[in-house]
Amino acid sequence: MDGQTLMEKISAKFPGAVKGSVDRFGQLEIQLNADQVPAVVKFLRDDAETAFDMLIDLVALDYSAFPNHGEGRFGVVYLLKSLKLGHRAQLKTFVDEGDPTVPTISDLYANANWLEREAYDQVGVKFSGHPNLKRILNHHEFVGHPLRKDYPITRRQALSANASLMDEMDVRLEEKGWI
Amino acid sequence: MIDSQTLLPVSSSKGLEALKPQERKDLLMVNLGPSHPATHGTLRALCALDGETIVAAVTEIGYLHRGFEKDCEAHTFQQCIPYTDRLNYVSAIMNNVGFCKAVERMLAIQVPERAIYIRVITAELNRIIDHLVCAGANLVDIGALTNFWYTFNVREKVYNILEKLCGARLTSSYTRIGGLTRDVYPEFGDEVKAVLKEIRASVKDVQKLIAPNRIFLDRTKGVCIISKERAISYGWTGPTLRACGVEYDLRKAEPYYNYSDFQFDIPVGTVGDVYDRIFIRFYEIEESIHIIEQALGKMPKGPIMTDDKRVALPPKQQTYGNIEGLMNHFKIIMHGICPAPGEVYDFTEAANGELGFYIVADGSKNPYRVKCRPPCFMNFAAFGEMIEGSMIADAVASLGSINIIAGELDR
């Protein structure tokens, strides 16, 4: 399914969800309302015609230094792939600096949990409803978000305390029925 | 005198059976890693143990995080290439190719045919050594040390070729945007063919050693199985996904370069256990050898660098001989390669799976943002879930089989 048909399909199902589209070197980037991302992604995953069964990647971007960028400081890109049908989709949503929050899709794809944690860690986009939105690549005591354009590349932080990981372990043990 | 009653085996004493497993609170928390010989890098898994069985596991990464993506933003496109070497340092050329391919797509540059062939050959050589390292190290982890020498000996011979080709064993930086650093040396083809023969022999030797080995089979068959559905949900790609029985390879599914011209098969596993993940790599080595042999036979003559003035330095004669050449040289050195503002996601089938680069350009010489999609990241996200219910020793076997390269995982 090509990007144009996909966009029409989304628009028909979710009126008002699609805010625009840009061609990205042959792949249509469909821009969505942040609030409707989980519903649209769930629909695209479960619908037999789209069947996007894999979340390839989730990219968070800081546009604050990008020339002539419009509204929304941060962008979140969802790259989807259907193994069954072979096509790809590229969805994007913009969020403002004041409240950079996107609803989570960690219940839809297993790897979204870590990908959203990475986006939060590196760029500081928050994902509401995420079970444990904490840092993943940086140390848990790290202050700031390094891939924001206002974070200087030379800034260093000395961090030493261990993470116990018991916050995650307790949840896991409870799920397994141990506590 | 001890009467027979006190010597009853524990199981009939009803002491342990009185409590269901869920009611017992005597779990032992053990850290597997971050510094542990079997973790091949600094990875940490906190395991809750019931005896020797892992009942729950959570993982922590980031020990090798060095800000690859931030570094890219502070360097020119061309300067990013050496950083990509350090992602999956076991198969560096594949990262070079992946990054350059994405930038070339942004610039709509057609790479010369000969450069494509050399990229394919060197990338497949890298795939072979990546698989050899993975299988060899994995077998060491489960106690089969001999195989390590068989796999690493030939790996070293491939490195001799790569060293001759680009001056470095691991950190090759072999590609450039628009082509390659340099052409292959005259005896390259013959040397590769000779090495391929040795690789075939050593892979056969290893298979002969392990395939009928009862200990190996007991340690790998049915161990740490991940289902097809979970693997897809976790975004697994590459050999680990194919081991679960999903026939998906970007070289076939979305062919890039000239992969569609070559005859090769995609091996798939059946169960998705450690055994499948090890053996699929041996079969893939055979297919890669097959691709290299075909590519060596078909390799055309010609330039290895595009003549596009936006990315290619002019020949030295022109730089020193006329003002246009000099200006062109100056522009590329001082102003760099400047793709028009835009965003691209491009991907290649690297040794571990889909290696993607999401690149944003703002019209300047530095990328505005580079996001790498490392296949290891998805593999390791599933690790905790995968080892739950198995023994510690199985977790070690399993970790080797998903081939986690910390350089790529943590970036």
Side-chain angles (χ1 to χ4, degrees), chain A residues 25 54 56-57 60 62-63 65 81 88 92 110 114 118 136 138 146 149 151 163 172 176-178, chain B residues 21-22 44 46 59 61 65 70 73 105 233 236 248 254 343 345 354 368-369 371 373 388 411:
Chain A
F25 300 93
M54 190 183 275
I56 290 287
D57 205 355
D62 175 10
Y63 283 104
K81 162 91 193 173
R88 286 176 187 261
K92 190 193 254 178
W114 275 29
E118 189 191 328
I136 185 162
N138 283 310
K149 289 288 168 181
Y151 189 94
R172 200 74 193 124
K176 293 255 164 191
W178 282 89
Chain B
Q22 274 77 357
R44 177 183 172 201
L46 176 66
T59 48
I61 64 167
H65 180 55
K70 188 81 175 171
E73 290 174 16
R105 190 165 163 195
S233 185
W236 281 26
Y248 176 65
E254 291 168 75
E343 303 181 14
Y345 176 73
E354 176 168 338
Y368 183 81
R369 169 92 160 92
K371 167 77 168 73
R373 181 220 190 258
E388 282 170 357
R411 283 158 286 155

Side-chain angles (χ1 to χ4, degrees), chain A residues 139-141 158-164, chain B residues 44 60 63:
Chain A
H139 195 269
H140 65 101
E141 291 176 312
L159 312 160
S160 57
N162 276 348
S164 77
Chain B
R44 177 183 172 201
E60 190 192 22
Y63 288 91

Side-chain angles (χ1 to χ4, degrees), chain A:
Chain A
M1 184 180 280
D2 66 343
Q4 203 62 38
T5 331
L6 186 68
M7 189 168 73
E8 280 159 21
K9 201 174 160 69
I10 299 172
S11 304
K13 177 84 183 173
F14 301 94
V18 179
K19 290 169 86 179
S21 66
V22 187
D23 181 61
R24 301 291 189 195
F25 300 93
Q27 177 72 56
L28 194 75
E29 174 190 292
I30 303 168
Q31 296 172 350
L32 300 170
N33 255 332
D35 298 341
Q36 278 162 295
V37 166
V40 172
V41 172
K42 187 175 189 324
F43 168 68
L44 294 181
R45 185 192 68 170
D46 297 338
D47 190 83
E49 275 180 44
T50 49
F52 287 108
D53 43 14
M54 190 183 275
L55 175 66
I56 290 287
D57 205 355
L58 189 151
V59 186
L61 304 152
D62 175 10
Y63 283 104
S64 60
F66 199 83
N68 307 320
H69 179 67
E71 52 159 347
R73 175 177 173 183
F74 301 107
V76 181
V77 182
Y78 300 84
L79 299 162
L80 304 176
K81 162 91 193 173
S82 169
L83 292 191
K84 210 194 268 170
L85 305 171
H87 55 214
R88 286 176 187 261
Q90 189 163 326
L91 312 174
K92 190 193 254 178
T93 185
F94 291 107
V95 281
D96 286 326
E97 193 174 357
D99 179 30
T101 307
V102 185
T104 182
I105 58 160
S106 56
D107 50 335
L108 301 175
Y109 296 98
N111 59 348
N113 186 316
W114 275 29
L115 288 170
E116 288 179 351
R117 275 176 63 187
E118 189 191 328
Y120 162 71
D121 180 14
Q122 301 286 330
V123 183
V125 176
K126 295 190 184 92
F127 294 89
S128 56
H130 189 284
N132 191 357
L133 193 67
K134 59 174 190 175
R135 293 187 182 275
I136 185 162
L137 294 179
N138 283 310
H139 195 269
H140 65 101
E141 291 176 312
F142 191 90
V143 180
H145 302 284
L147 286 182
R148 285 191 176 185
K149 289 288 168 181
D150 50 14
Y151 189 94
I153 190 168
T154 48
R155 181 180 292 166
R156 294 183 169 218
Q157 303 185 23
L159 312 160
S160 57
N162 276 348
S164 77
L165 295 188
M166 285 311 287
D167 55 334
E168 284 180 77
M169 181 55 93
D170 284 342
V171 173
R172 200 74 193 124
L173 287 173
E174 211 172 329
E175 281 170 1
K176 293 255 164 191
W178 282 89
I179 46 174

